[in-house]
Amino acid sequence: MHKPVVLVIAHGSRDPRHAATVHALVRRVRSLRPGLRVETGFLDFNVPSVQGVLESLAAEGVRDVVALPLLLTRAFHAKADIPAVLRDTPPQLRIRQAEVLGPSPLLLSALERRLYEAGLTPADKASTGVVLASAGSTDPEAIAVIAAIAREWRHTGWCAVRPAFASASLPRTEDAVRELRELGCEKVAVAPYVLAPGFLPDRIARGAAGADVLGEVLGAAHEVAEVLLERADAATARGRLSRTA
């Protein structure tokens, strides 16, 4: 039996850093699993489009595809946009939609490593408050997940961890930084819980002006690539088709 092709589905952005980061991440995934075919499609702004990739795969004779949303939370794109695109695809394709990437202990490890790369040390942990800064969403489920991740991360030894959002929800990054200062944390660090640079990550960075440390986006971190493979493997094993009969 042929292995399914994994199609990583990214949101897309007018910011060229977004697509460059997505492609770098996909290259890392391929390097971790050389025998796996991994393609990339974008919902908007960038090419190739998801529809275009799926049509090309069907023309090649591919039959099984795992559609892997490059998303950290299960919000509108995962619940509505991506299933809608996948329903409107060549009928000969059998498509399984994988789960979104978060939450995952591997992503917490990547966030922490980014903060250490930005200048913190493990010795700073107990005296440092962290802002877990995400893009934001109008979806209550997604907001609740970010809050739960912040609580979980706090239990690993940080002085405090507060969620913040670049859009749609409150508090903003700068408000969370201020709250941690008032709480008495000796240092404040901002950890962007985002996958690639762009408009909202830039807003997070501006909001981090009052912090001591600003981590980089998750990007092509090896932990993110490992989560992608975990999600693809789980979808392949599950065998549930996203297309309705």
Side-chain angles (χ1 to χ4, degrees):
M1 182 182 295
H2 292 291
K3 294 179 182 178
V5 173
V6 173
L7 173 59
V8 174
I9 300 178
H11 183 274
S13 171
R14 292 185 178 89
D15 190 321
R17 296 173 298 170
H18 174 87
T21 302
V22 170
H23 290 309
L25 175 59
V26 170
R27 287 194 297 271
R28 185 177 284 272
V29 172
R30 290 173 181 148
S31 73
L32 292 176
R33 191 78 62 84
L36 182 66
R37 180 175 176 185
V38 186
E39 301 292 340
T40 309
F42 296 90
L43 291 173
D44 206 354
F45 301 116
N46 302 105
V47 292
S49 68
V50 174
Q51 184 77 21
V53 174
L54 290 171
E55 289 174 356
S56 295
L57 291 174
E60 287 180 32
V62 170
R63 291 296 175 263
D64 290 291
V65 176
V66 169
L68 207 164
L70 195 59
L71 300 168
L72 292 171
T73 57
R74 182 172 163 73
F76 183 78
H77 293 304
K79 294 177 179 179
D81 282 355
I82 292 175
V85 170
L86 296 181
R87 283 192 293 270
D88 187 25
T89 54
Q92 63 267 43
L93 290 177
R94 295 183 291 265
I95 302 174
R96 301 171 180 90
Q97 182 176 334
E99 295 296 332
V100 298
L101 303 186
S104 166
L106 282 168
L107 296 178
L108 280 182
S109 296
L111 286 168
E112 196 153 312
R113 186 166 62 81
R114 289 294 192 231
L115 291 180
Y116 292 149
E117 290 169 351
L120 286 182
T121 70
D124 295 319
K125 198 168 185 178
S127 60
T128 300
V130 178
V131 178
L132 179 68
S134 76
S137 173
T138 57
D139 189 307
E141 178 186 349
I143 298 304
V145 167
I146 298 299
I149 293 170
R151 289 193 297 270
E152 178 184 350
W153 204 14
R154 162 69 181 86
H155 293 148
T156 67
W158 296 103
C159 173
V161 180
R162 295 288 187 270
F165 308 95
S167 69
S169 308
L170 295 173
R172 295 286 184 256
T173 302
E174 52 268 33
D175 299 325
V177 169
R178 189 179 310 111
E179 180 185 350
L180 290 171
R181 292 283 188 210
E182 293 171 353
L183 192 63
C185 298
E186 291 180 19
K187 292 185 177 180
V188 175
V190 174
Y193 190 57
V194 292
L195 287 165
F199 176 76
L200 293 179
D202 285 348
R203 180 179 288 177
I204 289 171
R206 290 193 298 273
D212 300 291
V213 172
L214 171 63
E216 292 290 333
V217 299
L218 291 168
H222 67 83
E223 297 94 340
V224 179
E226 289 170 10
V227 176
L228 279 167
L229 289 171
E230 284 184 359
R231 299 294 184 258
D233 290 343
T236 301
R238 187 171 64 243
R240 186 177 69 215
L241 301 185
S242 68
R243 190 196 308 278
T244 56

